[in-house]
C-alpha cells in the first residue's frame, strides 16, 4: 500500500472549516484514500473514502487532486468534538491477495479545535 | 454501520497471567481484525481473524502469545498470554463490513500489566 504523509498537528478555530492535507505521491491506480479519526480514549471512526472523484457525506468532504497524489479532508464547521487524531490511509478496496483489507495506520494529524 | 462491543473495557493484570478480550459485532461479518495501540503510538495490526480458518498473524506477533478464536461470524476473542509490563497497551477489535468495505472499531480494551 502507498505511504502517506500528514502534518503532525494543526489548530482550527471553532466554527471554521478544518482542512487536513495528506500526501500520497506513490498511490496506485486502484488504491482508495480512506480517512479515519480517533477521539481520545475511543476506537478509530470511519469518516470518508474516495478513489478519484470528490466525495461528501454528513461528516466531511474529501477533495482528491486530479493527479491523485494528494488529498484534503474538509470538516466544514469544526466543533470542539472534532478534536482528534486524523488518519489518512491508502489501500486497495476489495480483495487483492494476501493482506487485503488491512488498514495501515501512520501517525496521523492531531487536530485541536480551539474555542 | 456495524456496532462493535469489547469486553473488558479495561483491566489491570499481574505479570505472568493471561487475559482474554471478547469482541462482539451486531451483524455477521467475514473479517475481523485485532490491533494494538501502545501508549502514545498509532495502531498496529496483530492479526486477521476469518471465521472457519486460522488467524493470520503479522510480523512480530505469534499465536502462542496472542491466540485468537473466531467461532462464528459475530464473535472473536484475543488472549494476551503470559503478560509482561511491555504488553500494557490498548487492544482494539475491528470488523470489515463487506458491502461497503469499511472497517468499524470497538472502543478498545485498556490493559495495564504490573
Amino acid at each position: 500500500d502507498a505511504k502517506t504523509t500528514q502534518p503532525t498537528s494543526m489548530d482550527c478555530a471553532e466554527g471554521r472549516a478544518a482542512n487536513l492535507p495528506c500526501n500520497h505521491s506513490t498511490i496506485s491506480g486502484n488504491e482508495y484514500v480512506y480517512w479515519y479519526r480517533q477521539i481520545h480514549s475511543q476506537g478509530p471512526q470511519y469518516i470518508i473514502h474516495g478513489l478519484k472523484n470528490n466525495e461528501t457525506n454528513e461528516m466531511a468532504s474529501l477533495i482528491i487532486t486530479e493527479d491523485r497524489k494528494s488529498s484534503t479532508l474538509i470538516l466544514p464547521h469544526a466543533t470542539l468534538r472534532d478534536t482528534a487524531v486524523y488518519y489518512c490511509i491508502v489501500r486497495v478496496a476489495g480483495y487483492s491477495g494476501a493482506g487485503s483489507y488491512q488498514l495501515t495506520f501512520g501517525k496521523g494529524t492531531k487536530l485541536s479545535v480551539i474555542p | 454501520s456495524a456496532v462493535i462491543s469489547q469486553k473488558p473495557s479495561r483491566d489491570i493484570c499481574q505479570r505472568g497471567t493471561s487475559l482474554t478480550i471478547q469482541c462482539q459485532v451486531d451483524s455477521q461479518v467475514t473479517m475481523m481484525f485485532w490491533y494494538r495501540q501502545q501508549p502514545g503510538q498509532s495502531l498496529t495490526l496483530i492479526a486477521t481473524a476469518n471465521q472457519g480458518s486460522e488467524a493470520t498473524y503479522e510480523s512480530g506477533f505469534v499465536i502462542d502469545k496472542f491466540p485468537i478464536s473466531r467461532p462464528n461470524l459475530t464473535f472473536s476473542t484475543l488472549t494476551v498470554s503470559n503478560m509482561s509490563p511491555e504488553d500494557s497497551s490498548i487492544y482494539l477489535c475491528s470488523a470489515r463490513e463487506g458491502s461497503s468495505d469499511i472497517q468499524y472499531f470497538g472502543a478498545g480494551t485498556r490493559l495495564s500489566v504490573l
Side-chain angles (χ1 to χ4, degrees):
Chain A
D1 292 336
K3 180 179 173 61
T4 63
T5 304
Q6 299 178 253
T8 301
S9 63
M10 293 180 63
D11 291 342
C12 177
E14 188 178 17
R16 303 295 295 269
N19 297 281
L20 292 94
C22 179
N23 285 320
H24 31 79
S25 58
T26 60
I27 191 170
S28 300
N30 60 348
E31 288 181 314
Y32 284 68
V33 180
Y34 288 78
W35 283 85
Y36 282 76
R37 73 180 182 184
Q38 188 173 24
I39 297 170
H40 183 62
S41 296
Q42 297 183 22
Q45 176 189 21
Y46 166 80
I47 301 173
I48 198 168
H49 74 288
L51 182 63
K52 56 182 178 180
N53 297 320
N54 297 338
E55 302 287 345
T56 296
N57 63 19
E58 65 278 5
M59 290 183 66
S61 295
L62 174 60
I63 308 298
I64 302 174
T65 59
E66 191 168 344
D67 63 8
R68 303 209 321 122
K69 293 185 177 182
S70 65
S71 60
T72 301
L73 179 74
I74 302 173
L75 308 178
H77 305 286
T79 71
L80 298 179
R81 288 174 293 182
D82 293 321
T83 293
V85 177
Y86 287 77
Y87 297 99
C88 170
I89 301 168
V90 173
R91 72 167 177 87
V92 178
Y95 185 73
S96 62
S100 295
Y101 310 118
Q102 294 177 9
L103 292 175
T104 302
F105 286 82
K107 296 186 183 301
T109 296
K110 181 173 173 55
L111 175 69
S112 298
V113 180
I114 312 299
Chain B
S1 63
V3 176
I4 300 175
S5 303
Q6 274 186 244
K7 290 194 300 185
S9 59
R10 60 177 63 232
D11 207 340
I12 300 173
C13 300
Q14 295 297 318
R15 181 195 300 260
T17 63
S18 298
L19 175 71
T20 295
I21 302 168
Q22 298 180 6
C23 179
Q24 180 74 53
V25 188
D26 70 342
S27 59
Q28 293 185 339
V29 293
T30 54
M31 301 187 73
M32 297 180 72
F33 306 86
W34 287 97
Y35 290 82
R36 181 176 74 182
Q37 188 169 29
Q38 295 178 300
Q41 302 297 312
S42 187
L43 284 78
T44 300
L45 181 65
I46 297 172
T48 301
N50 294 332
Q51 194 269 337
S53 63
E54 293 290 325
T56 302
Y57 290 82
E58 296 302 302
S59 176
F61 298 96
V62 295
I63 188 171
D64 290 346
K65 176 67 175 178
F66 298 101
I68 289 172
S69 76
R70 182 76 201 276
N72 57 51
L73 291 175
T74 64
F75 188 78
S76 178
T77 66
L78 169 76
T79 299
V80 186
S81 302
N82 188 25
M83 288 183 286
S84 67
E86 291 71 34
D87 294 320
S88 297
S89 292
I90 300 172
Y91 292 86
L92 295 122
C93 172
S94 171
R96 171 182 170 266
E97 186 179 77
S99 61
S100 64
D101 204 21
I102 293 171
Q103 283 190 30
Y104 297 94
F105 288 80
T109 296
R110 191 177 298 269
L111 171 63
S112 296
V113 183
L114 304 179

